[in-house]
Amino acid sequence: EFSLQYQPRIEVGSGKVCAIEALLRWSHPELGEVEASDFVPLLEETGLILPVGRWVLQTACSYARTLQSVGLGRLRVAVNLSPRQLRYSGLVECVRACLDRLELDGSVLELEITEGLLIEHSGAAVTTLDTLHALGVQISIDDFGTGYSSLAYLRRFPIDTLKIDYSFVTRMLEDVGSMEIVRTIIDLGRNLGKTTIAEHLLHRAGPGGAV
């Protein structure tokens, strides 16, 4: 009953699709479309996020491989990473095995994490993310600007991309404060040599909304 939907990331300057984000959806035969915010926390709590997360990773990477095979280039695919997945000792090997099986370069994959997740699991997370980054995997911070105020993790962790939370982006035309936050994050990303993504609220159903 699970499926993945893919949202495009559009490069502002060129208007071209530069990446896609994999979003987990659950279509229940009786309940209909279940919100990700309702079932993802349950998957996390029960530990089912590990097998489901592995399926998401494999399915998303397979889709990226399919896009390559039909001549659409090496579009990067972004997958959300939960706290339990980051703590999982077999995460690196799972990612490596998936990339090897599909003969994909690590740069095709991006793993999205939250600010809070970095702070809560800073010790082990540094080693895990450094190892993944060494494989070429890109690391992004989702909902940037809504979590912890400390910016020290931008120096400690191998972060490639800052994803500005949609709440700032959607309000910035009528709220000066939101506009300044967006401007500050863009400047911060530029000064640190990181990519910045503005998340736009077109349709958001749980973690990983439209961009």
Side-chain angles (χ1 to χ4, degrees):
E1 297 171 6
F2 284 136
S3 64
L4 293 185
Q5 292 182 359
Y6 299 93
Q7 291 185 150
R9 286 183 185 170
I10 309 299
E11 188 177 60
V12 174
S14 66
K16 295 179 180 180
V17 176
C18 58
I20 55 175
E21 297 184 10
L23 308 178
L24 180 62
R25 296 291 181 254
W26 181 15
S27 181
H28 191 279
E30 297 177 2
L31 300 176
E33 298 298 324
V34 183
E35 294 285 342
S37 57
D38 291 332
F39 71 83
V40 170
L42 185 59
L43 293 177
E44 179 75 7
E45 179 182 344
T46 60
L48 288 173
I49 194 67
L50 294 181
V52 172
R54 186 161 47 247
W55 175 82
V56 170
L57 176 67
Q58 294 171 350
T59 304
C61 286
S62 294
Y63 187 65
R65 191 72 179 89
T66 298
L67 294 179
Q68 288 186 19
S69 67
V70 296
L72 293 181
R74 292 175 45 172
L75 280 180
R76 188 164 63 254
V77 60
V79 175
N80 284 291
L81 196 65
S82 79
R84 189 181 286 261
Q85 286 176 286
L86 186 59
R87 293 195 303 266
Y88 174 51
S89 60
L91 174 63
V92 172
E93 185 52 41
C94 178
V95 171
R96 181 186 286 112
C98 181
L99 294 174
D100 288 347
R101 182 175 62 84
L102 293 167
E103 299 181 343
L104 286 173
D105 187 87
S107 61
V108 172
L109 176 63
E110 178 179 317
L111 296 176
E112 292 188 4
I113 53 182
T114 63
E115 292 179 86
L117 192 155
L118 289 181
I119 302 301
E120 294 168 14
H121 308 289
S122 58
V126 170
T127 301
T128 299
L129 294 179
D130 278 343
T131 304
L132 288 168
H133 206 249
L135 296 176
V137 176
Q138 302 288 290
I139 307 296
S140 66
I141 300 181
D142 197 11
D143 300 335
F144 186 79
T146 61
Y148 294 79
S149 58
S150 174
L151 299 178
Y153 56 75
L154 294 180
R155 176 176 54 82
R156 294 182 59 200
F157 293 89
I159 305 300
D160 300 289
T161 301
L162 307 179
K163 189 174 177 184
I164 307 172
D165 186 68
Y166 75 96
S167 62
F168 299 126
V169 179
T170 55
R171 292 201 304 262
M172 68 181 185
L173 294 183
E174 64 253 4
D175 176 44
V176 175
S178 294
M179 172 68 81
E180 290 306 317
I181 289 175
V182 171
R183 191 193 311 275
T184 299
I185 295 175
I186 292 173
D187 289 342
L188 176 65
R190 182 180 294 115
N191 292 334
L192 294 176
K194 303 184 186 303
T195 301
T196 305
I197 296 174
E199 188 175 14
H200 180 53
L201 184 62
L202 296 176
H203 172 69
R204 185 177 177 87
V211 174

XYZ file of all heavy atoms in Angstrom, residues 79-181:
799
model
N 16.119 11.702 -0.229
C 15.340 10.804 0.622
C 15.459 11.286 2.059
O 16.560 11.601 2.531
C 15.857 9.352 0.507
C 15.131 8.449 1.491
C 15.693 8.837 -0.916
N 14.335 11.336 2.773
C 14.355 11.735 4.178
C 14.968 10.640 5.043
O 14.727 9.451 4.820
C 12.937 12.025 4.675
C 12.411 13.359 4.186
O 12.882 14.403 4.595
N 11.438 13.300 3.288
N 15.742 11.056 6.042
C 16.375 10.127 6.974
C 15.839 10.410 8.372
O 15.909 11.543 8.858
C 17.894 10.315 6.940
C 18.758 9.212 7.540
C 18.610 7.924 6.739
C 20.210 9.646 7.584
N 15.287 9.395 9.032
C 14.694 9.575 10.349
C 15.733 9.374 11.451
O 16.822 8.835 11.214
C 13.551 8.563 10.545
O 14.084 7.287 10.866
N 15.415 9.780 12.689
C 16.350 9.584 13.807
C 16.761 8.135 14.005
O 17.940 7.836 14.208
C 15.559 10.101 15.012
C 14.636 11.125 14.440
C 14.243 10.580 13.094
N 15.804 7.213 13.937
C 16.140 5.799 14.140
C 17.035 5.274 13.022
O 17.929 4.458 13.253
C 14.868 4.952 14.237
C 15.121 3.501 14.674
C 13.830 2.719 14.733
N 13.028 3.072 15.869
C 12.987 2.375 17.007
N 13.743 1.295 17.145
N 12.194 2.739 17.995
N 16.811 5.750 11.811
C 17.666 5.327 10.700
C 19.096 5.816 10.891
O 20.049 5.105 10.595
C 17.112 5.861 9.373
C 15.870 5.142 8.882
C 15.327 5.783 7.622
O 14.734 6.856 7.666
N 15.565 5.147 6.491
N 19.236 7.061 11.380
C 20.576 7.594 11.591
C 21.309 6.831 12.688
O 22.530 6.683 12.638
C 20.503 9.081 11.940
C 21.840 9.820 12.062
C 22.624 9.735 10.746
C 21.629 11.271 12.455
N 20.560 6.330 13.668
C 21.174 5.554 14.751
C 21.495 4.127 14.327
O 22.266 3.436 14.988
C 20.240 5.508 15.969
C 20.030 6.839 16.651
C 19.422 6.643 18.034
N 18.159 5.914 17.976
C 16.969 6.488 17.911
N 16.884 7.818 17.875
N 15.853 5.776 17.874
N 20.889 3.666 13.250
C 21.044 2.280 12.805
C 22.483 2.017 12.360
O 23.015 2.695 11.481
C 20.065 2.016 11.667
C 20.209 0.672 10.998
C 20.252 -0.509 11.740
C 20.274 0.579 9.605
C 20.370 -1.734 11.125
C 20.392 -0.650 8.981
C 20.439 -1.795 9.747
O 20.565 -3.016 9.137
N 23.101 1.020 12.969
C 24.516 0.741 12.698
C 24.762 0.254 11.273
O 25.879 0.349 10.770
C 25.048 -0.301 13.690
O 24.318 -1.518 13.578
N 23.723 -0.262 10.615
C 23.889 -0.783 9.268
C 23.537 0.201 8.173
O 23.469 -0.181 6.997
N 23.336 1.477 8.534
C 22.899 2.467 7.546
C 23.907 2.635 6.418
O 23.543 2.596 5.240
C 22.660 3.819 8.227
C 22.342 4.988 7.284
C 21.041 4.732 6.521
C 22.272 6.305 8.059
N 25.168 2.810 6.765
C 26.184 3.050 5.740
C 26.275 1.872 4.777
O 26.316 2.051 3.559
C 27.557 3.317 6.380
C 28.643 3.378 5.305
C 27.532 4.614 7.168
N 26.275 0.678 5.324
C 26.379 -0.504 4.475
C 25.145 -0.656 3.597
O 25.236 -1.083 2.441
C 26.562 -1.762 5.333
C 26.792 -3.031 4.537
C 27.931 -2.893 3.530
O 28.967 -2.293 3.875
O 27.765 -3.365 2.387
N 23.971 -0.300 4.139
C 22.727 -0.362 3.365
C 22.802 0.589 2.174
O 22.443 0.215 1.049
C 21.547 0.003 4.259
S 19.945 0.030 3.425
N 23.275 1.810 2.399
C 23.401 2.791 1.325
C 24.434 2.334 0.305
O 24.197 2.385 -0.907
C 23.786 4.167 1.900
C 24.146 5.137 0.772
C 22.649 4.734 2.738
N 25.574 1.867 0.791
C 26.645 1.416 -0.114
C 26.166 0.256 -0.988
O 26.411 0.241 -2.211
C 27.870 0.992 0.681
C 29.037 0.532 -0.206
C 30.185 -0.015 0.603
N 30.935 1.021 1.290
C 30.966 1.187 2.609
N 30.272 0.372 3.394
N 31.684 2.142 3.161
N 25.473 -0.703 -0.392
C 24.994 -1.867 -1.135
C 23.979 -1.463 -2.201
O 23.988 -1.993 -3.316
C 24.369 -2.881 -0.174
N 23.124 -0.505 -1.865
C 22.110 -0.039 -2.815
C 22.768 0.641 -4.009
O 22.415 0.378 -5.163
C 21.156 0.914 -2.105
S 19.824 1.539 -3.149
N 23.729 1.497 -3.742
C 24.424 2.202 -4.822
C 25.206 1.231 -5.699
O 25.194 1.340 -6.928
C 25.368 3.249 -4.233
C 24.713 4.425 -3.499
C 25.778 5.294 -2.834
C 23.860 5.258 -4.443
N 25.873 0.268 -5.065
C 26.661 -0.708 -5.823
C 25.771 -1.572 -6.704
O 26.109 -1.854 -7.869
C 27.469 -1.593 -4.868
C 28.627 -0.848 -4.215
O 28.950 0.258 -4.684
O 29.177 -1.363 -3.219
N 24.646 -2.016 -6.151
C 23.760 -2.915 -6.904
C 23.218 -2.232 -8.152
O 23.067 -2.853 -9.204
C 22.600 -3.361 -6.013
C 21.631 -4.340 -6.689
C 20.586 -4.828 -5.722
N 19.762 -3.752 -5.223
C 18.699 -3.265 -5.857
N 18.350 -3.757 -7.037
N 17.982 -2.302 -5.321
N 22.937 -0.943 -8.037
C 22.365 -0.200 -9.165
C 23.424 0.499 -10.000
O 23.100 1.187 -10.964
C 21.366 0.828 -8.636
C 20.101 0.250 -7.992
C 19.350 1.326 -7.232
C 19.212 -0.396 -9.045
N 24.684 0.338 -9.600
C 25.811 0.973 -10.295
C 25.608 2.488 -10.389
O 25.764 3.105 -11.436
C 25.997 0.370 -11.696
C 26.302 -1.121 -11.668
C 26.499 -1.696 -13.061
O 26.088 -1.051 -14.046
O 27.073 -2.796 -13.168
N 25.274 3.074 -9.240
C 25.051 4.513 -9.150
C 26.202 5.180 -8.418
O 26.732 4.635 -7.439
C 23.750 4.813 -8.396
C 22.429 4.555 -9.118
C 21.266 4.760 -8.149
C 22.277 5.480 -10.319
N 26.565 6.361 -8.866
C 27.526 7.170 -8.137
C 26.847 7.746 -6.897
O 25.656 8.075 -6.922
C 28.029 8.306 -9.029
C 29.153 9.084 -8.387
O 30.318 8.672 -8.541
O 28.854 10.088 -7.716
N 27.598 7.877 -5.807
C 27.019 8.367 -4.561
C 26.406 9.748 -4.674
O 25.461 10.089 -3.944
N 26.900 10.571 -5.598
C 26.398 11.931 -5.754
C 24.966 11.990 -6.275
O 24.334 13.049 -6.242
C 27.311 12.727 -6.691
O 27.340 12.131 -7.979
N 24.445 10.871 -6.742
C 23.057 10.815 -7.220
C 22.077 10.818 -6.043
O 20.912 11.164 -6.206
C 22.844 9.562 -8.098
C 21.380 9.362 -8.446
C 23.664 9.675 -9.363
N 22.576 10.456 -4.851
C 21.715 10.334 -3.676
C 21.933 11.496 -2.718
O 23.057 11.910 -2.472
C 22.001 9.016 -2.953
C 21.246 8.773 -1.638
C 19.743 8.697 -1.881
C 21.753 7.495 -0.974
N 20.834 12.010 -2.178
C 20.884 13.029 -1.121
C 20.043 12.558 0.053
O 18.933 12.066 -0.137
C 20.350 14.365 -1.636
C 20.316 15.468 -0.588
C 19.802 16.779 -1.157
O 20.201 17.146 -2.276
O 18.982 17.431 -0.478
N 20.569 12.684 1.242
C 19.842 12.318 2.447
C 19.477 13.579 3.206
O 20.342 14.408 3.519
C 20.688 11.391 3.327
C 21.028 10.035 2.706
C 21.939 9.238 3.622
C 19.761 9.238 2.391
N 18.173 13.729 3.508
C 17.683 14.907 4.215
C 17.522 14.589 5.694
O 16.896 13.596 6.069
C 16.336 15.360 3.655
C 16.401 15.905 2.248
C 15.073 16.524 1.822
O 14.141 16.581 2.664
O 14.951 16.933 0.666
N 18.080 15.452 6.546
C 17.960 15.300 7.989
C 17.490 16.620 8.583
O 17.496 17.651 7.912
C 19.304 14.886 8.619
C 20.409 15.858 8.197
C 19.678 13.468 8.227
C 21.772 15.513 8.714
N 17.064 16.593 9.844
C 16.590 17.808 10.497
C 17.666 18.366 11.418
O 18.585 17.657 11.834
C 15.324 17.538 11.329
O 15.635 16.615 12.380
C 14.220 16.951 10.446
N 17.514 19.637 11.770
C 18.459 20.270 12.689
C 18.469 19.560 14.038
O 19.530 19.299 14.610
C 18.080 21.735 12.888
C 18.252 22.607 11.669
C 17.845 24.033 11.950
O 18.689 24.800 12.431
O 16.673 24.370 11.687
N 17.279 19.262 14.546
C 17.183 18.612 15.847
C 17.864 17.264 15.878
O 18.489 16.872 16.873
N 17.764 16.533 14.787
C 18.381 15.215 14.703
C 19.899 15.318 14.846
O 20.534 14.499 15.505
C 17.997 14.567 13.375
C 18.279 13.077 13.170
C 17.318 12.516 12.126
C 19.696 12.813 12.744
N 20.495 16.349 14.271
C 21.937 16.533 14.364
C 22.366 16.773 15.804
O 23.354 16.221 16.278
C 22.370 17.718 13.505
C 22.315 17.549 11.993
C 22.798 18.827 11.316
C 23.159 16.378 11.539
N 21.626 17.616 16.510
C 21.987 17.962 17.874
C 21.807 16.774 18.810
O 22.655 16.481 19.644
C 21.133 19.150 18.369
C 21.327 20.357 17.447
C 21.495 19.508 19.801
C 22.749 20.841 17.337
N 20.700 16.052 18.645
C 20.390 14.939 19.534
C 21.364 13.783 19.386
O 21.633 13.046 20.329
C 18.961 14.442 19.255
C 17.884 15.457 19.614
C 16.526 15.061 19.065
O 16.385 13.890 18.645
O 15.623 15.911 19.050
N 21.906 13.595 18.191
C 22.767 12.442 17.933
C 24.119 12.894 17.382
O 24.689 12.260 16.507
C 22.092 11.504 16.930
C 20.691 11.132 17.316
N 20.401 10.302 18.356
C 19.488 11.536 16.807
C 19.078 10.177 18.474
N 18.513 10.916 17.545
N 24.619 13.991 17.938
C 25.802 14.622 17.356
C 27.028 13.721 17.331
O 27.763 13.705 16.346
C 26.128 15.908 18.120
O 26.348 15.634 19.488
N 27.273 12.961 18.388
C 28.479 12.148 18.452
C 28.560 11.101 17.358
O 29.459 11.116 16.517
N 27.605 10.185 17.369
C 27.595 9.109 16.383
C 27.272 9.629 14.989
O 27.745 9.092 13.985
C 26.579 8.045 16.793
N 26.459 10.688 14.941
C 26.033 11.211 13.642
C 27.201 11.743 12.829
O 27.216 11.618 11.604
C 24.985 12.312 13.832
N 28.184 12.338 13.491
C 29.333 12.886 12.779
C 30.041 11.789 11.989
O 30.322 11.930 10.796
C 30.335 13.547 13.755
C 31.626 13.889 13.021
C 29.744 14.797 14.357
N 30.309 10.664 12.657
C 31.005 9.552 12.007
C 30.186 8.986 10.857
O 30.699 8.752 9.758
C 31.302 8.436 13.023
O 32.105 8.965 14.075
C 32.028 7.283 12.354
N 28.897 8.759 11.112
C 28.022 8.182 10.087
C 27.925 9.085 8.860
O 28.085 8.635 7.719
C 26.612 7.940 10.647
O 26.692 7.011 11.732
C 25.688 7.380 9.580
N 27.668 10.369 9.092
C 27.503 11.292 7.975
C 28.817 11.525 7.242
O 28.827 11.692 6.013
C 26.922 12.620 8.466
C 25.490 12.549 9.017
C 25.031 13.912 9.490
C 24.521 11.988 7.981
N 29.919 11.537 7.974
C 31.223 11.673 7.312
C 31.482 10.491 6.379
O 31.992 10.663 5.265
C 32.347 11.747 8.354
C 32.514 13.146 8.930
O 31.998 14.097 8.312
O 33.155 13.281 9.990
N 31.127 9.295 6.825
C 31.339 8.095 6.007
C 30.448 8.121 4.773
O 30.889 7.809 3.655
C 31.046 6.823 6.820
O 31.844 6.825 8.005
C 31.363 5.580 6.009
N 29.190 8.518 4.942
C 28.269 8.626 3.808
C 28.755 9.689 2.822
O 28.699 9.501 1.607
C 26.863 8.967 4.300
C 26.109 7.854 5.026
C 24.862 8.406 5.700
C 25.743 6.733 4.072
N 29.226 10.794 3.355
C 29.712 11.880 2.513
C 30.929 11.439 1.712
O 31.120 11.863 0.563
C 30.047 13.099 3.377
C 29.955 14.393 2.660
N 31.052 15.168 2.356
C 28.887 15.073 2.156
C 30.674 16.241 1.716
N 29.366 16.225 1.581
N 31.751 10.587 2.320
C 32.926 10.072 1.624
C 32.534 9.201 0.439
O 33.306 9.049 -0.520
C 33.801 9.278 2.589
N 31.318 8.637 0.478
C 30.804 7.847 -0.644
C 30.282 8.748 -1.767
O 29.912 8.250 -2.828
C 29.667 6.930 -0.172
C 30.011 5.834 0.837
C 28.743 5.092 1.258
C 31.026 4.867 0.271
N 30.247 10.047 -1.501
C 29.727 10.988 -2.485
C 28.299 11.418 -2.220
O 27.749 12.266 -2.928
N 27.656 10.805 -1.203
C 26.266 11.124 -0.870
C 26.169 12.558 -0.358
O 26.975 12.997 0.465
C 25.728 10.146 0.199
C 24.313 10.540 0.625
C 25.743 8.722 -0.335
N 25.180 13.308 -0.854
C 24.950 14.682 -0.428
C 24.090 14.692 0.837
O 23.197 13.859 1.008
C 24.239 15.477 -1.524
C 24.997 15.498 -2.847
C 26.231 16.367 -2.762
O 26.143 17.589 -2.678
N 27.392 15.744 -2.803
N 24.353 15.647 1.731
C 23.601 15.762 2.978
C 22.933 17.131 3.020
O 23.580 18.160 2.787
C 24.522 15.609 4.209
C 25.354 14.320 4.116
C 23.693 15.646 5.488
C 24.550 13.047 4.138
N 21.636 17.151 3.315
C 20.923 18.422 3.408
C 20.182 18.507 4.735
O 19.802 17.500 5.326
C 19.935 18.591 2.247
O 18.901 17.632 2.332
N 19.980 19.751 5.202
C 19.201 19.994 6.422
C 17.814 20.457 6.016
O 17.656 21.505 5.376
C 19.860 21.064 7.307
C 21.263 20.627 7.726
C 19.002 21.316 8.546
C 21.958 21.617 8.628
N 16.808 19.689 6.381
C 15.424 20.008 6.051
C 14.863 21.010 7.052
O 15.273 21.041 8.215
C 14.593 18.714 6.066
C 13.278 18.875 5.341
O 13.085 19.893 4.651
O 12.433 17.971 5.456
N 13.916 21.837 6.616
C 13.233 22.811 7.478
C 14.223 23.696 8.216
O 14.050 23.999 9.406
C 12.315 22.097 8.477
C 11.244 21.271 7.789
O 10.908 21.603 6.638
O 10.756 20.300 8.382
N 15.262 24.126 7.525
C 16.305 24.929 8.162
C 15.736 26.253 8.669
O 14.974 26.917 7.986
C 17.443 25.218 7.168
C 18.626 25.911 7.784
C 19.553 25.195 8.513
C 18.793 27.270 7.635
C 20.640 25.833 9.088
C 19.874 27.918 8.203
C 20.797 27.189 8.941
N 16.125 26.619 9.893
C 15.672 27.870 10.489
C 14.595 27.689 11.530
O 14.252 28.632 12.250
N 14.047 26.465 11.654
C 12.969 26.235 12.621
C 13.439 25.460 13.843
O 12.685 25.284 14.798
C 11.815 25.446 11.972
O 12.309 24.170 11.542
C 11.259 26.186 10.777
N 14.678 24.971 13.814
C 15.165 24.131 14.905
C 16.047 24.884 15.874
O 15.746 26.007 16.275
N 17.163 24.290 16.229
C 18.071 24.860 17.214
C 18.796 26.075 16.653
O 19.112 26.153 15.471
C 19.095 23.808 17.661
C 18.478 22.664 18.409
C 17.830 21.628 17.725
C 18.508 22.616 19.789
C 17.247 20.573 18.403
C 17.934 21.566 20.480
C 17.301 20.552 19.791
O 16.725 19.516 20.455
N 19.077 27.011 17.542
C 19.698 28.263 17.104
C 21.200 28.132 16.876
O 21.801 28.960 16.195
C 19.451 29.368 18.143
O 19.964 28.989 19.413
N 21.829 27.118 17.446
C 23.270 26.960 17.294
C 23.618 26.620 15.842
O 22.996 25.759 15.214
C 23.791 25.851 18.209
O 25.162 25.604 17.956
N 24.618 27.296 15.313
C 25.062 27.043 13.947
C 26.353 26.234 13.926
O 26.945 26.043 12.864
C 25.262 28.364 13.207
C 24.013 29.246 13.066
C 24.382 30.544 12.358
C 22.910 28.516 12.317
N 26.775 25.761 15.090
C 28.043 25.036 15.170
C 28.034 23.772 14.322
O 29.072 23.350 13.813
C 28.349 24.676 16.628
N 26.848 23.167 14.144
C 26.794 21.915 13.384
C 27.117 22.125 11.910
O 27.477 21.184 11.209
C 25.442 21.216 13.546
C 24.250 22.051 13.185
C 23.924 22.316 11.868
C 23.414 22.563 14.173
C 22.829 23.075 11.535
C 22.315 23.331 13.845
C 22.027 23.579 12.531
O 20.934 24.336 12.199
N 26.989 23.358 11.419
C 27.353 23.613 10.029
C 28.854 23.458 9.816
O 29.318 23.237 8.701
C 26.911 25.017 9.610
C 25.400 25.262 9.555
C 25.115 26.693 9.123
C 24.726 24.278 8.608
N 29.602 23.596 10.893
C 31.047 23.391 10.821
C 31.408 21.938 11.123
O 32.329 21.378 10.534
C 31.750 24.314 11.817
C 33.259 24.131 11.904
C 33.871 25.149 12.843
N 33.254 25.138 14.158
C 33.575 24.260 15.127
N 34.500 23.353 14.909
N 32.978 24.313 16.294
N 30.665 21.317 12.030
C 30.996 19.961 12.482
C 30.552 18.882 11.505
O 31.202 17.853 11.364
C 30.337 19.677 13.845
C 30.854 20.503 14.994
C 30.169 20.095 16.270
N 30.389 18.674 16.564
C 29.616 17.967 17.379
N 28.563 18.532 17.953
N 29.879 16.702 17.612
N 29.417 19.121 10.820
C 28.834 18.090 9.976
C 29.063 18.396 8.497
O 29.150 19.559 8.106
C 27.330 17.972 10.243
C 26.991 17.460 11.607
C 26.834 18.333 12.673
C 26.838 16.101 11.840
C 26.515 17.874 13.933
C 26.521 15.635 13.095
C 26.361 16.515 14.148
N 29.129 17.349 7.670
C 29.337 17.546 6.225
C 28.037 17.926 5.515
O 27.443 17.126 4.792
C 29.850 16.184 5.762
C 29.160 15.212 6.684
C 29.101 15.910 8.021
N 27.579 19.145 5.723
C 26.315 19.613 5.166
C 26.549 20.261 3.797
O 27.408 21.127 3.654
C 25.639 20.622 6.106
C 25.464 20.031 7.505
C 24.302 21.078 5.531
C 24.628 18.785 7.559
N 25.777 19.853 2.802
C 25.888 20.412 1.456
C 24.803 21.430 1.152
O 25.033 22.373 0.396
C 25.808 19.292 0.410
C 26.914 18.271 0.580
O 28.073 18.611 0.298
O 26.615 17.139 1.006
N 23.609 21.226 1.735
C 22.446 22.016 1.334
C 21.627 22.456 2.538
O 21.407 21.674 3.471
C 21.540 21.191 0.389
O 22.294 20.796 -0.757
C 20.330 22.005 -0.062
N 21.165 23.711 2.504
C 20.246 24.242 3.502
C 18.882 24.413 2.850
O 18.761 25.122 1.846
C 20.742 25.601 4.024
C 22.177 25.658 4.539
C 22.503 27.081 4.994
C 22.410 24.657 5.652
N 17.885 23.772 3.416
C 16.535 23.812 2.843
C 15.659 24.703 3.727
O 15.281 24.328 4.825
C 15.980 22.389 2.764
C 14.681 22.259 1.999
C 14.325 20.786 1.880
C 13.001 20.586 1.191
N 12.620 19.151 1.180
N 15.368 25.904 3.250
C 14.618 26.880 4.034
C 13.188 26.392 4.244
O 12.501 25.998 3.299
C 14.595 28.247 3.331
C 16.020 28.700 2.998
C 13.911 29.294 4.208
C 16.068 29.944 2.146
N 12.721 26.447 5.480
C 11.385 25.956 5.788
C 10.311 26.737 5.034
O 10.413 27.961 4.859
C 11.130 26.066 7.291
C 9.813 25.439 7.687
O 9.702 24.197 7.598
O 8.879 26.179 8.050
N 9.279 26.029 4.589
C 8.226 26.629 3.773
C 7.487 27.750 4.493
O 6.949 28.666 3.854
C 7.221 25.554 3.329
C 6.289 25.088 4.417
C 5.019 25.632 4.563
C 6.667 24.091 5.316
C 4.159 25.215 5.555
C 5.828 23.668 6.321
C 4.574 24.226 6.443
O 3.736 23.815 7.434
N 7.429 27.710 5.839
C 6.686 28.727 6.583
C 7.282 30.117 6.374
O 6.560 31.120 6.367
C 6.665 28.382 8.077
O 7.977 28.370 8.621
N 8.603 30.206 6.214
C 9.244 31.492 5.948
C 9.009 31.930 4.502
O 8.753 33.104 4.227
C 10.747 31.405 6.212
C 11.104 31.061 7.634
C 11.940 29.996 7.917
C 10.593 31.798 8.689
C 12.265 29.675 9.221
C 10.914 31.486 10.004
C 11.749 30.419 10.264
N 9.121 30.961 3.586
C 9.011 31.277 2.159
C 7.610 31.759 1.806
O 7.433 32.747 1.079
C 9.387 30.061 1.295
C 9.235 30.385 -0.198
C 10.814 29.616 1.597
N 6.590 31.093 2.320
C 5.214 31.445 1.955
C 4.759 32.762 2.569
O 3.824 33.387 2.058
C 4.235 30.331 2.386
O 4.394 30.069 3.786
C 4.489 29.052 1.618
N 5.415 33.198 3.650
C 5.001 34.446 4.305
C 5.883 35.639 3.950
O 5.594 36.760 4.357
C 5.014 34.260 5.834
C 3.971 33.316 6.372
C 3.719 33.565 7.845
N 4.952 33.469 8.634
C 5.312 32.389 9.311
N 4.535 31.312 9.283
N 6.430 32.367 10.006
N 6.939 35.415 3.174
C 7.939 36.466 3.040
C 7.451 37.682 2.250
O 8.005 38.775 2.401
C 9.226 35.909 2.417
C 9.121 35.481 0.984
S 10.707 34.814 0.405
C 10.334 34.549 -1.329
N 6.429 37.520 1.404
C 5.950 38.669 0.631
C 5.088 39.618 1.462
O 4.940 40.789 1.116
C 5.171 38.199 -0.596
C 5.989 37.456 -1.650
C 5.120 37.097 -2.841
C 7.189 38.291 -2.100
N 4.516 39.115 2.566
C 3.707 40.002 3.401
C 4.306 40.225 4.784
O 3.774 41.006 5.568
C 2.276 39.455 3.548
C 2.216 38.122 4.263
C 1.917 36.973 3.315
O 1.843 37.204 2.111
O 1.754 35.856 3.822
N 5.418 39.540 5.083
C 6.018 39.656 6.403
C 7.503 39.974 6.259
O 8.280 39.155 5.764
C 5.821 38.344 7.182
C 6.503 38.372 8.528
O 6.393 39.391 9.230
O 7.159 37.374 8.882
N 7.885 41.167 6.689
C 9.265 41.614 6.555
C 10.216 40.700 7.319
O 11.317 40.401 6.853
C 9.422 43.072 7.043
C 10.893 43.491 7.020
C 8.586 44.007 6.193
N 9.782 40.232 8.492
C 10.626 39.358 9.296
C 10.969 38.063 8.573
O 12.121 37.624 8.574
N 9.958 37.459 7.934
C 10.192 36.225 7.179
C 11.115 36.485 6.001
O 11.984 35.668 5.683
C 8.860 35.647 6.685
O 8.062 35.219 7.763
N 10.928 37.623 5.344
C 11.781 37.988 4.213
C 13.242 38.100 4.652
O 14.152 37.601 3.978
C 11.320 39.311 3.611
C 12.265 39.883 2.552
S 12.304 38.893 1.050
C 10.806 39.510 0.246
N 13.474 38.726 5.803
C 14.835 38.895 6.285
C 15.458 37.562 6.693
O 16.659 37.347 6.523
C 14.863 39.875 7.458
C 14.587 41.312 7.058
C 15.515 41.785 5.949
O 16.724 41.500 6.008
O 15.023 42.444 5.011
N 14.649 36.657 7.233
C 15.149 35.327 7.595
C 15.579 34.582 6.340
O 16.651 33.970 6.291
C 14.076 34.529 8.365
C 13.900 35.116 9.768
C 14.472 33.046 8.453
C 12.785 34.479 10.557
